[in-house]
Amino acid sequence: MSINKSYGAGTYQVSTNSSNTGGALENVVAGTFRINDYIYTSKSGSITIVSKTATKLVGTFDLVVQNFSINDEKTISGSFDIDIEGL
């Protein structure tokens, strides 16, 4: 998943486009997932950051992802608890 590091607690809609300026993501919430050896990219949905500290990012996601090569969509959801210290 890609989440702009400036985002705090809250719910963010997924973007299908990435923006990279000077090596930093700008206003981007997106996901890329490998399912059964196929790459799926986020199409819609949201990511909720429940808490953010200097060292951790905790939240949930509920996304519709798509794979263009096999013309397939899936709905996925889950949670994350990521160490962000030093990123």
Side-chain angles (χ1 to χ4, degrees), residues 68-82:
F68 291 107
S69 64
I70 61 172
N71 194 28
D72 189 32
E73 281 188 5
K74 297 190 180 300
T75 300
I76 60 172
S77 59
S79 61
F80 53 91
D81 186 340
I82 304 168

Side-chain angles (χ1 to χ4, degrees), residues 4-22:
N4 185 305
K5 68 180 180 179
S6 69
Y7 288 171
T11 299
Y12 303 94
Q13 294 304 305
V14 169
S15 169
T16 57
N17 299 316
S18 294
S19 175
N20 190 316
T21 302

Side-chain angles (χ1 to χ4, degrees), residues 10 17 20-21 25-26 35 39-40 47 64 66 78 86:
N17 299 316
N20 190 316
T21 302
L25 290 170
E26 292 184 354
I35 303 171
I39 300 296
Y40 286 77
I47 294 174
V64 174
Q66 61 188 352

Side-chain angles (χ1 to χ4, degrees), residues 43-83:
K43 177 180 177 184
S44 62
S46 62
I47 294 174
T48 299
I49 298 173
V50 175
S51 68
K52 179 183 176 185
T53 67
T55 59
K56 276 215 181 279
L57 186 65
V58 178
T60 61
F61 58 91
D62 186 16
L63 306 172
V64 174
V65 296
Q66 61 188 352
N67 177 284
F68 291 107
S69 64
I70 61 172
N71 194 28
D72 189 32
E73 281 188 5
K74 297 190 180 300
T75 300
I76 60 172
S77 59
S79 61
F80 53 91
D81 186 340
I82 304 168
D83 291 324

